[in-house]
Amino acid sequence: AVNLARSVGLERENAICLIDADLRTPQVHKAFPAGPVGLAEVLEGDAKLEEALVAVPDTRLMVLPVKALPSAPSELLSMRAMSDLLAELCTRFQTVVVDAPPVLGLPDTVTLVDLCDAALFVVGAGRSPREEVESALSRLDANKLIGVVLNRCERSEVGYLAAYGYVNP
């Protein structure tokens, strides 16, 4: 999500917003500085969106990071405030990228995919057993799935992974 948002943000004609929606183990703050407040504070009504958005210098990218970890992340993401926030961001930006937590074990990502126009599924090479990948994919709306990204993959692994149907070399 970070690399996708960063590359789109370099285009001068497209304004983009990256939302870190992993309210349990956020990672976006490792690539971009966080502001004084974040997504949870905005959703809970304790902060305004403008206070939480962080501009990335020399790009058209704005980041909505996670600052505080809420006590009930799933409930917060499923509130009307999240759908309203996404609707608001879609009026301000040509592209909105949502970095979501892992699919299995939590309802968060399924909730977020339902609110989005499309989903890009990311699989860690050598880290995700085929059964878990299939289980995760079965939980997502197939009509919204636009592709699968295989990351952490060595070039020598591509042939092996293609043999098991993970990639088309």
Side-chain angles (χ1 to χ4, degrees), residues 11-131:
E11 297 176 11
R12 292 294 167 205
E13 61 275 356
N14 289 320
I16 182 168
C17 181
L18 171 61
I19 303 171
D20 190 348
D22 187 341
L23 295 174
R24 289 179 173 80
T25 54
Q27 300 295 312
V28 171
H29 69 279
K30 293 179 179 179
F32 303 109
V37 294
L39 177 61
E41 293 88 347
V42 171
L43 293 176
E44 291 170 340
D46 296 332
K48 302 263 186 237
L49 177 59
E50 291 74 23
E51 297 173 278
L53 287 172
V54 178
V56 176
D58 301 320
T59 71
R60 297 211 36 190
L61 172 60
M62 298 288 281
V63 178
L64 179 51
V66 171
K67 188 67 173 177
L69 299 178
S71 59
S74 296
E75 290 80 7
L76 197 56
L77 292 173
S78 64
M79 290 174 35
R80 173 144 184 131
M82 185 63 188
S83 61
D84 290 347
L85 174 65
L86 285 170
E88 170 68 20
L89 291 171
C90 286
T91 66
R92 295 185 185 196
F93 299 93
Q94 284 80 26
T95 305
V96 177
V97 174
V98 179
D99 185 41
V103 176
L104 295 180
L106 305 169
D108 302 10
T109 298
V110 174
T111 299
L112 290 166
V113 168
D114 288 344
L115 297 174
C116 295
D117 294 331
L120 189 59
F121 186 76
V122 179
V123 179
R127 295 177 178 216
S128 306
R130 183 182 185 103
E131 299 79 30

Side-chain angles (χ1 to χ4, degrees), residues 124-141:
R127 295 177 178 216
S128 306
R130 183 182 185 103
E131 299 79 30
E132 288 182 9
V133 171
E134 290 171 352
S135 178
L137 287 170
S138 73
R139 296 189 66 206
L140 300 175
D141 181 348

